Amino acid sequence: ADTISPTTSTNDSLLQPLWDSLRFNYRDYLRSPLFPVVLTVSSYFVVCIPFLVCDIIGDKWAWIQQYKIQPNRRPTATTLLHCAGVTTYNHLFLVFPASVAQWAWRPPIDLPDRAPSVPEIVAGVIGNLLLFDFQYYIWHLLHHKIRWLYVTFHAIHHNYSSPFALATQCLGGWELVTVGFWTTLNPVILRSHLLTTWIFMVLHVYVSVEDHCGYDFPWSTARLIPFGFYGGPNHHDVHHQKPSTNFAPHFKHWDIIFGTHAELSLPPATKQKTTTLLIE
Protein backbone atom coordinates (compact mmCIF):
# COMPACT_ATOMS: atom_id res chain seq x y z
CA ALA A 1 0.00 0.00 0.00
CA ASP A 2 1.12 3.53 -0.74
CA THR A 3 2.28 5.58 2.20
CA ILE A 4 1.22 9.20 2.45
CA SER A 5 3.04 11.51 4.79
CA PRO A 6 1.88 14.93 5.89
CA THR A 7 3.15 17.96 4.02
CA THR A 8 6.41 19.07 5.57
CA SER A 9 7.20 22.03 3.32
CA THR A 10 6.15 25.50 4.28
CA ASN A 11 2.71 26.29 2.93
CA ASP A 12 0.82 29.45 3.68
CA SER A 13 -2.52 28.19 2.35
CA LEU A 14 -5.33 28.43 4.88
CA LEU A 15 -6.80 25.33 3.25
CA GLN A 16 -3.81 23.06 3.82
CA PRO A 17 -5.29 21.34 6.93
CA LEU A 18 -8.54 20.69 5.07
CA TRP A 19 -6.70 19.36 2.02
CA ASP A 20 -4.48 17.13 4.15
CA SER A 21 -7.53 15.70 5.88
CA LEU A 22 -9.21 14.96 2.56
CA ARG A 23 -6.23 13.32 0.90
CA PHE A 24 -5.24 11.29 3.98
CA ASN A 25 -8.72 9.99 4.81
CA TYR A 26 -10.52 9.81 1.46
CA ARG A 27 -7.71 9.31 -1.05
CA ASP A 28 -9.18 6.31 -2.89
CA TYR A 29 -12.58 7.95 -3.25
CA LEU A 30 -11.20 11.28 -4.45
CA ARG A 31 -8.94 9.62 -7.06
CA SER A 32 -11.81 7.68 -8.62
CA PRO A 33 -13.04 8.90 -12.03
CA LEU A 34 -16.55 8.48 -10.63
CA PHE A 35 -16.02 11.07 -7.89
CA PRO A 36 -16.66 14.15 -10.09
CA VAL A 37 -19.86 12.53 -11.39
CA VAL A 38 -21.14 11.71 -7.91
CA LEU A 39 -20.18 15.20 -6.75
CA THR A 40 -21.94 17.05 -9.57
CA VAL A 41 -25.05 14.85 -9.80
CA SER A 42 -25.68 14.91 -6.06
CA SER A 43 -25.03 18.66 -6.00
CA TYR A 44 -27.49 19.15 -8.84
CA PHE A 45 -30.42 17.48 -7.13
CA VAL A 46 -29.62 19.08 -3.76
CA VAL A 47 -29.48 22.55 -5.33
CA CYS A 48 -32.76 21.90 -7.17
CA ILE A 49 -34.69 21.05 -3.99
CA PRO A 50 -35.29 24.61 -2.65
CA PHE A 51 -36.41 25.83 -6.07
CA LEU A 52 -38.56 22.73 -6.48
CA VAL A 53 -40.32 23.59 -3.22
CA CYS A 54 -40.91 27.10 -4.57
CA ASP A 55 -42.38 25.67 -7.77
CA ILE A 56 -44.73 23.32 -5.95
CA ILE A 57 -46.09 25.56 -3.18
CA GLY A 58 -44.66 28.97 -3.98
CA ASP A 59 -47.99 30.28 -5.28
CA LYS A 60 -49.26 30.03 -1.68
CA TRP A 61 -46.40 32.18 -0.36
CA ALA A 62 -46.76 35.82 -1.41
CA TRP A 63 -43.19 36.65 -0.42
CA ILE A 64 -41.89 34.02 -2.87
CA GLN A 65 -44.40 34.77 -5.58
CA GLN A 66 -43.20 38.37 -5.83
CA TYR A 67 -39.82 37.12 -7.09
CA LYS A 68 -41.23 34.82 -9.81
CA ILE A 69 -40.17 36.19 -13.17
CA GLN A 70 -43.21 34.77 -14.95
CA PRO A 71 -45.76 34.28 -12.16
CA ASN A 72 -48.49 33.18 -14.57
CA ARG A 73 -46.43 30.16 -15.64
CA ARG A 74 -45.61 27.43 -13.18
CA PRO A 75 -44.52 23.83 -13.95
CA THR A 76 -47.02 21.04 -13.37
CA ALA A 77 -46.29 17.76 -11.59
CA THR A 78 -46.19 15.99 -14.96
CA THR A 79 -43.64 18.48 -16.26
CA LEU A 80 -41.42 18.12 -13.20
CA LEU A 81 -41.52 14.32 -13.35
CA HIS A 82 -40.68 14.37 -17.06
CA CYS A 83 -37.60 16.54 -16.51
CA ALA A 84 -36.45 14.45 -13.56
CA GLY A 85 -36.88 11.30 -15.65
CA VAL A 86 -34.90 12.65 -18.63
CA THR A 87 -32.10 13.83 -16.36
CA THR A 88 -31.90 10.53 -14.49
CA TYR A 89 -31.91 8.54 -17.73
CA ASN A 90 -29.10 10.61 -19.24
CA HIS A 91 -26.92 10.24 -16.16
CA LEU A 92 -27.48 6.50 -15.78
CA PHE A 93 -27.05 5.51 -19.42
CA LEU A 94 -24.68 8.19 -20.75
CA VAL A 95 -22.73 10.09 -18.11
CA PHE A 96 -22.08 7.15 -15.79
CA PRO A 97 -20.80 4.79 -18.56
CA ALA A 98 -18.64 7.59 -19.96
CA SER A 99 -17.12 8.12 -16.52
CA VAL A 100 -16.36 4.41 -16.13
CA ALA A 101 -14.71 4.46 -19.56
CA GLN A 102 -12.27 7.12 -18.31
CA TRP A 103 -10.31 4.37 -16.56
CA ALA A 104 -9.22 3.17 -20.01
CA TRP A 105 -7.56 6.42 -21.09
CA ARG A 106 -6.99 8.41 -17.91
CA PRO A 107 -6.05 6.35 -14.85
CA PRO A 108 -6.67 7.82 -11.39
CA ILE A 109 -4.24 10.65 -10.73
CA ASP A 110 -2.30 11.34 -7.58
CA LEU A 111 -3.49 14.00 -5.20
CA PRO A 112 -0.99 16.89 -4.92
CA ASP A 113 0.61 17.53 -1.55
CA ARG A 114 0.06 21.25 -1.64
CA ALA A 115 -3.33 22.90 -1.17
CA PRO A 116 -4.24 25.88 -3.35
CA SER A 117 -4.37 29.33 -1.83
CA VAL A 118 -7.68 31.17 -1.64
CA PRO A 119 -6.67 33.62 -4.43
CA GLU A 120 -5.68 30.65 -6.60
CA ILE A 121 -9.11 29.09 -6.09
CA VAL A 122 -10.94 32.34 -6.84
CA ALA A 123 -8.88 32.96 -9.99
CA GLY A 124 -9.24 29.33 -11.09
CA VAL A 125 -13.00 29.22 -10.61
CA ILE A 126 -13.52 32.52 -12.45
CA GLY A 127 -11.20 31.39 -15.25
CA ASN A 128 -13.08 28.11 -15.68
CA LEU A 129 -16.45 29.86 -15.69
CA LEU A 130 -15.30 32.38 -18.30
CA LEU A 131 -13.80 29.69 -20.53
CA PHE A 132 -16.96 27.60 -20.30
CA ASP A 133 -19.05 30.69 -21.04
CA PHE A 134 -17.21 31.21 -24.34
CA GLN A 135 -17.40 27.53 -25.32
CA TYR A 136 -21.08 27.24 -24.55
CA TYR A 137 -21.93 30.52 -26.31
CA ILE A 138 -20.50 29.18 -29.58
CA TRP A 139 -22.01 25.71 -29.11
CA HIS A 140 -25.40 27.14 -28.13
CA LEU A 141 -25.47 29.60 -31.03
CA LEU A 142 -24.69 26.84 -33.55
CA HIS A 143 -27.43 24.62 -32.16
CA HIS A 144 -29.94 27.41 -32.70
CA LYS A 145 -28.72 28.51 -36.13
CA ILE A 146 -28.35 25.01 -37.65
CA ARG A 147 -31.81 23.51 -37.75
CA TRP A 148 -30.68 19.87 -37.75
CA LEU A 149 -28.67 20.41 -34.56
CA TYR A 150 -31.57 22.21 -32.92
CA VAL A 151 -34.24 19.66 -33.80
CA THR A 152 -32.05 16.64 -33.08
CA PHE A 153 -30.39 17.70 -29.84
CA HIS A 154 -31.48 21.02 -28.35
CA ALA A 155 -35.22 21.32 -28.95
CA ILE A 156 -36.14 19.29 -25.86
CA HIS A 157 -34.69 22.01 -23.64
CA HIS A 158 -36.97 24.58 -25.26
CA ASN A 159 -40.20 22.77 -24.53
CA TYR A 160 -40.58 25.34 -21.76
CA SER A 161 -40.92 29.08 -22.40
CA SER A 162 -40.65 29.68 -18.67
CA PRO A 163 -37.60 27.86 -17.25
CA PHE A 164 -37.52 26.16 -13.85
CA ALA A 165 -34.81 24.41 -11.87
CA LEU A 166 -35.42 20.82 -12.96
CA ALA A 167 -35.36 21.91 -16.62
CA THR A 168 -31.66 22.79 -16.25
CA GLN A 169 -30.44 19.35 -17.27
CA CYS A 170 -33.52 18.32 -19.21
CA LEU A 171 -31.33 18.01 -22.30
CA GLY A 172 -30.60 15.73 -25.18
CA GLY A 173 -27.93 13.20 -24.28
CA TRP A 174 -25.41 14.73 -26.70
CA GLU A 175 -25.78 18.13 -25.08
CA LEU A 176 -25.34 16.83 -21.55
CA VAL A 177 -22.25 14.82 -22.51
CA THR A 178 -20.60 17.74 -24.31
CA VAL A 179 -21.32 20.15 -21.46
CA GLY A 180 -19.87 17.61 -19.05
CA PHE A 181 -16.84 17.18 -21.30
CA TRP A 182 -16.03 20.90 -21.20
CA THR A 183 -16.59 21.05 -17.47
CA THR A 184 -14.07 18.25 -17.07
CA LEU A 185 -11.60 19.42 -19.71
CA ASN A 186 -11.36 23.11 -18.81
CA PRO A 187 -9.63 22.61 -15.43
CA VAL A 188 -7.06 20.45 -17.25
CA ILE A 189 -6.48 23.19 -19.82
CA LEU A 190 -6.10 25.81 -17.08
CA ARG A 191 -4.06 23.42 -14.91
CA SER A 192 -6.36 23.93 -11.96
CA HIS A 193 -5.74 22.26 -8.62
CA LEU A 194 -8.14 19.38 -7.92
CA LEU A 195 -9.75 21.28 -5.04
CA THR A 196 -10.28 24.26 -7.34
CA THR A 197 -11.73 21.91 -9.95
CA TRP A 198 -14.27 20.44 -7.55
CA ILE A 199 -15.30 23.84 -6.23
CA PHE A 200 -15.74 25.04 -9.81
CA MET A 201 -17.88 22.01 -10.65
CA VAL A 202 -20.20 22.53 -7.68
CA LEU A 203 -20.45 26.28 -8.25
CA HIS A 204 -21.11 25.71 -11.94
CA VAL A 205 -23.98 23.39 -11.05
CA TYR A 206 -25.39 25.99 -8.66
CA VAL A 207 -25.30 28.94 -11.07
CA SER A 208 -26.67 26.78 -13.91
CA VAL A 209 -29.66 25.79 -11.78
CA GLU A 210 -30.07 29.36 -10.55
CA ASP A 211 -30.07 30.65 -14.15
CA HIS A 212 -32.98 28.33 -14.92
CA CYS A 213 -34.86 28.63 -11.64
CA GLY A 214 -37.36 31.27 -12.81
CA TYR A 215 -36.94 33.42 -9.69
CA ASP A 216 -35.02 36.66 -9.28
CA PHE A 217 -34.28 36.61 -5.55
CA PRO A 218 -32.39 39.44 -3.79
CA TRP A 219 -29.51 37.01 -3.20
CA SER A 220 -29.27 35.89 -6.84
CA THR A 221 -25.72 35.83 -8.16
CA ALA A 222 -26.51 38.50 -10.74
CA ARG A 223 -27.43 40.91 -7.93
CA LEU A 224 -24.21 40.18 -6.03
CA ILE A 225 -21.89 40.81 -8.99
CA PRO A 226 -21.66 44.56 -9.75
CA PHE A 227 -21.88 46.48 -13.05
CA GLY A 228 -24.44 44.12 -14.61
CA PHE A 229 -21.66 41.86 -15.89
CA TYR A 230 -23.46 38.66 -14.92
CA GLY A 231 -26.76 37.67 -16.50
CA GLY A 232 -28.52 35.37 -14.04
CA PRO A 233 -32.15 34.19 -14.10
CA ASN A 234 -33.53 37.24 -15.91
CA HIS A 235 -30.97 36.89 -18.68
CA HIS A 236 -31.70 33.23 -19.31
CA ASP A 237 -35.44 33.64 -18.88
CA VAL A 238 -35.38 35.97 -21.88
CA HIS A 239 -33.63 33.27 -23.93
CA HIS A 240 -36.49 30.84 -23.31
CA GLN A 241 -38.99 33.53 -24.34
CA LYS A 242 -36.90 34.78 -27.29
CA PRO A 243 -34.67 31.86 -28.37
CA SER A 244 -32.66 33.99 -30.80
CA THR A 245 -31.18 36.01 -27.93
CA ASN A 246 -28.97 35.54 -24.84
CA PHE A 247 -27.01 32.44 -25.82
CA ALA A 248 -24.31 32.78 -23.16
CA PRO A 249 -25.03 30.64 -20.09
CA HIS A 250 -23.90 33.01 -17.36
CA PHE A 251 -22.24 36.30 -18.34
CA LYS A 252 -23.47 38.96 -20.77
CA HIS A 253 -20.36 40.11 -22.62
CA TRP A 254 -20.45 37.69 -25.59
CA ASP A 255 -24.11 38.44 -26.27
CA ILE A 256 -23.40 42.17 -26.12
CA ILE A 257 -20.33 41.89 -28.38
CA PHE A 258 -22.11 39.80 -31.03
CA GLY A 259 -25.44 41.65 -30.85
CA THR A 260 -27.53 38.81 -29.42
CA HIS A 261 -28.25 40.43 -26.06
CA ALA A 262 -31.80 41.27 -24.95
CA GLU A 263 -33.15 42.55 -21.65
CA LEU A 264 -36.20 41.24 -19.81
CA SER A 265 -39.30 43.23 -20.74
CA LEU A 266 -42.46 41.74 -19.28
CA PRO A 267 -45.54 43.99 -19.19
CA PRO A 268 -46.52 45.09 -15.65
CA ALA A 269 -49.86 43.29 -15.97
CA THR A 270 -48.07 40.02 -16.66
CA LYS A 271 -45.95 40.47 -13.53
CA GLN A 272 -49.08 40.66 -11.38
CA LYS A 273 -50.73 37.48 -12.59
CA THR A 274 -50.65 34.50 -10.29
CA THR A 275 -52.68 31.93 -12.19
CA THR A 276 -50.98 28.57 -12.48
CA LEU A 277 -50.77 27.38 -16.08
CA LEU A 278 -49.38 24.35 -17.83
CA ILE A 279 -46.01 25.29 -19.34
CA GLU A 280 -46.04 24.80 -23.08
Side-chain angles (χ1 to χ4, degrees):
D2 296 336
T3 301
I4 304 178
S5 58
T7 302
T8 56
S9 61
T10 302
N11 193 305
D12 58 358
S13 174
L14 297 175
L15 300 175
Q16 191 64 48
L18 171 63
W19 180 244
D20 286 340
S21 177
L22 290 174
R23 68 191 185 96
F24 295 158
N25 299 318
Y26 305 100
R27 176 172 178 264
D28 291 339
Y29 298 106
L30 299 180
R31 294 178 70 232
S32 169
L34 296 182
F35 175 73
V37 177
V38 173
L39 178 67
T40 54
V41 173
S42 59
S43 298
Y44 175 73
F45 285 107
V46 168
V47 170
C48 281
I49 289 174
F51 297 116
L52 180 60
V53 172
C54 293
D55 287 332
I56 294 174
I57 60 177
D59 58 337
K60 300 177 183 178
W61 296 343
W63 68 274
I64 288 181
Q65 183 68 15
Q66 65 180 316
Y67 300 117
K68 188 79 169 72
I69 298 173
Q70 296 189 58
N72 60 317
R73 290 182 174 270
R74 192 174 297 278
T76 64
T78 301
T79 301
L80 295 172
L81 289 173
H82 170 259
C83 288
V86 170
T87 302
T88 302
Y89 175 89
N90 284 338
H91 280 98
L92 286 178
F93 295 101
L94 292 172
V95 177
F96 180 76
S99 301
V100 173
Q102 287 189 70
W103 267 300
W105 63 273
R106 192 184 180 197
I109 58 178
D110 290 329
L111 304 179
D113 293 340
R114 176 184 172 275
S117 66
V118 173
E120 285 175 334
I121 290 179
V122 173
V125 169
I126 293 175
N128 277 284
L129 285 173
L130 289 172
L131 179 56
F132 177 86
D133 212 64
F134 172 73
Q135 294 164 328
Y136 191 84
Y137 178 86
I138 300 298
W139 184 99
H140 198 182
L141 182 67
L142 289 175
H143 280 68
H144 274 268
K145 297 300 182 181
I146 301 175
R147 179 169 177 77
W148 178 80
L149 291 175
Y150 180 84
V151 172
T152 306
F153 302 116
H154 192 56
I156 186 175
H157 188 63
H158 279 274
N159 285 337
Y160 315 105
S161 59
S162 177
F164 50 94
L166 277 180
T168 306
Q169 293 189 7
C170 187
L171 310 167
W174 161 255
E175 181 171 3
L176 187 63
V177 169
T178 53
V179 169
F181 174 74
W182 289 327
T183 305
T184 303
L185 178 64
N186 288 353
V188 177
I189 295 175
L190 298 180
R191 303 182 67 180
S192 300
H193 190 282
L194 285 176
L195 186 58
T196 302
T197 299
W198 300 332
I199 293 174
F200 155 66
M201 287 179 171
V202 173
L203 182 62
H204 183 243
V205 166
Y206 172 77
V207 293
S208 296
V209 172
E210 184 189 61
D211 288 347
H212 287 83
C213 73
Y215 296 88
D216 185 18
F217 290 116
W219 54 83
S220 294
T221 305
R223 293 182 176 271
L224 301 178
I225 298 178
F227 310 119
F229 185 63
Y230 189 85
N234 281 327
H235 184 259
H236 197 71
D237 205 280
V238 173
H239 174 69
H240 278 258
Q241 296 176 56
K242 304 174 182 178
S244 61
T245 65
N246 295 1
F247 295 106
H250 306 311
F251 301 94
K252 294 181 179 179
H253 56 284
W254 293 118
D255 283 302
I256 294 174
I257 291 172
F258 291 108
T260 54
H261 175 68
E263 293 287 350
L264 182 69
S265 57
L266 290 178
T270 303
K271 281 284 191 178
Q272 295 173 2
K273 292 180 181 179
T274 58
T275 306
T276 301
L277 298 177
L278 173 64
I279 297 179
E280 300 175 344

